[in-house]
Amino acid sequence: MQRDTYDSDHEDFRQAVRAFIARDVQPHHGRWENEGLIERTAWEAAGQQGLIGIAVPEEFGGGGTPDFRYRLIIMEELAAAAANSFNAGLSVQDDLVIPYLVDLGSQEQKARWLPGLCAGTLIGSLAMTEPGTGSDLRSIRTTAVSSADGWILDGQKTFITNGMHADVVIVFARTNPDSSNAAFSLFLVDTLSEGFRRGRKLEKVGLRGNDTAELYFDQIHLPREALLGVEGAGFSHLMDRLPRERLAIAATSLAASSAAFEWTKSYCFERKAFGRPVGDFQNTRFTLAEIATELDFGWAFLDRAVHLLNAEELSAVDAAKAKWWMTALHQRVVDQCVQLHGGYGYMLEYPIARAFLDARIQPIYGGTNEIMKEIIGRDIADRTRSQV
């Protein structure tokens, strides 16, 4: 299907992204995967090329262009290069941390953090999940207690993307822990703060090059101005920004699925079995036809969702639909593509093998797909009842 999503400016940007990846990502990506950490120089190079903070106002070091299609191009090109770990890290920076600061930060907070985040000289992370809570954020135990001159933050977080590199962490914490109606707030934590420490760099099945960590906040004394947004409104702040996060996850899955399909098409018509290309067997053609059709439907839905996001009209329900369906499609596509590669699909020297491993987290983070279906189902129930 021919997409008409992009104009000439977008395509010029795509060429710049491809040049950056060829120069600063692909020569090092294998080593990052083996070492479990992406070098900070890659972040700085991305910042120098203007690939981070595209939507951030120019006064704070960004590109001043709030058009999510530019982010989508970066996702597509990194996926095509099998650089899924860097894709995940940049998404946390650009689709979570930076928008929280742009939307909720004071002028002082924006001036302190945004220029470095856009330049790639600073790396950010978002700390919500805790051991034993998973997607149940109302059960978190991390607390921020008001003190005479600020806050005392105490607790721990886990599964934190960019955790080992992070210079600033947005922390979700309880701010009235003794109340039966617990309120939650967000805090900006400088990782140089006394009482902050990093735990293990977690060993994951996929996205091996992306650092994921345990973080500890041991009675950290935060200044009053560390509060991000409105005190007690932390949960609503999260809910308001989840549609963008979930759309970014959906977009990453669709880009990765398309990349896997491109590699597999090429392989099927290069590899021969029983004297003819694998792609000439009917079963192979049927599988390729199914994948191609589902990807076309996926891109049509995603392009519409991106249009809604740019217009600030993307609903939580539409984002949930995109997230669950495209991440589920991602699982089917990479599984079928591994099968079509045969034994070579199980070898890590082939990008499809890493793509298979990298894909599995997509239906889990950002809210599990079971939660996405509950959001959609609850909306259906509410609408139906209102019509009865």
Side-chain angles (χ1 to χ4, degrees), residues 43 50-56 68 71 74-75 88-100 117-118 124 162 244 248:
W43 291 82
L51 306 186
I52 308 177
I54 298 165
V56 173
F68 192 76
R71 279 287 302 127
I74 295 172
M75 294 176 190
L90 283 180
S91 186
V92 167
Q93 180 106 332
D94 227 341
D95 300 319
L96 296 175
V97 175
I98 286 177
Y100 273 80
L117 290 169
C118 293
N162 298 345
R244 179 184 174 116

Side-chain angles (χ1 to χ4, degrees), residues 100 104 186 228-230 233-242:
Y100 273 80
L104 302 173
L186 299 173
L228 179 64
V230 178
F235 198 81
S236 63
H237 289 331
L238 292 183
M239 295 302 104
D240 289 344
R241 280 147 197 87
L242 279 174

